[in-house]
Amino acid sequence: MPQTAEKAGRERPSVAIIGAGPAGLMAAEALAGKGIAVIVYDAMPSPARKFLMAGRGGLNITHSEPLDRFLTRYGAAAPVVAPWIRRFTPDDLRAWVHGLGIETFVGSSGRVFPMGLKASPLLRAWLRRLDGLGVTLKARHRWTG
Ligand SMILES: Cc1cc2nc3c(=O)[nH]c(=O)nc-3n(C[C@H](O)[C@H](O)[C@H](O)COP(=O)(O)OP(=O)(O)OC[C@H]3O[C@@H](n4cnc5c(N)ncnc54)[C@H](O)[C@@H]3O)c2cc1C
């Protein structure tokens, strides 16, 4: 490897994420999108198994109610989570799902679902995107620290 590329490789910031559930995968996407080298480790043989289980009964991704009302659902935690949610709102989440090529719809209760209600197409598209961003997934790797 040319010396400059080797140096650049060494200097590129890298992050290890423990857990390939939705939280870990979203962190991986955010970091990789900023040029950080990301490796996601998961103890299980495949990623996001609980997320896939969530899709069995119909995956509810968010709610369509106005943001101020939505934030009240967090009760005593609302002051803590509100700034995070204002930076990535339920509408942003829907747009993110659409960006993965999956349409969404609002049910009669106001809850938002991916078309088809399943988590698996969404996860497949998400993992393809992460792969494209250079994220490495290491299954069967349990953090014991
Ligand atoms: C039946 C069911 C239905 C649900 N329905 C919905 C729904 O409709 N809508 C919704 O928004 N949510 C739903 N949920 C909740 C949703 O699945 C969780 O909120 C979501 O999976 C949490 O994501 P997470 O990344 O925080 O944690 P997890 O999904 O639990 O991911 C954590 C990951 O970390 C890994 N891990 C843990 N410890 C270690 C370790 N020491 N070393 C390495 N890896 C480790 C685990 O294997 C796992 O893959 C449902 C859940 C269930 C069970």
Side-chain angles (χ1 to χ4, degrees):
M1 191 189 299
Q3 209 184 346
T4 45
E6 192 180 45
K7 190 161 176 262
R10 272 205 313 269
E11 286 175 359
R12 188 178 169 203
S14 62
V15 170
I17 294 173
I18 314 298
L25 297 180
M26 193 57 96
E29 182 176 339
L31 290 166
K34 296 204 178 303
I36 292 168
V38 180
I39 304 182
V40 187
Y41 296 94
D42 201 287
M44 300 302 282
S46 58
R49 292 163 86 104
K50 195 192 287 179
F51 182 65
L52 289 175
M53 201 190 300
R56 283 202 200 143
L59 182 68
N60 170 209
I61 55 160
T62 186
H63 200 284
S64 61
E65 65 192 355
L67 186 57
D68 285 340
R69 179 147 183 79
F70 182 82
L71 289 172
T72 66
R73 308 298 181 184
Y74 290 85
V80 177
V81 301
W84 310 339
I85 293 174
R86 287 189 191 284
R87 286 187 63 185
F88 192 77
T89 65
D91 283 345
D92 293 332
L93 180 61
R94 279 186 84 176
W96 175 84
V97 173
H98 298 161
L100 289 171
I102 294 173
E103 288 308 311
T104 57
F105 70 95
V106 179
S108 54
S109 61
R111 291 188 295 166
V112 179
F113 301 92
M115 211 61 89
L117 298 168
K118 297 285 171 216
S120 45
L122 200 161
L123 180 62
R124 273 197 302 276
W126 196 0
L127 293 176
R128 269 198 307 275
R129 174 183 285 175
L130 292 175
D131 189 52
L133 286 168
V135 172
T136 303
L137 276 177
K138 299 263 189 196
R140 295 191 169 90
H141 280 68
R142 181 178 295 277
W143 169 256
T144 57

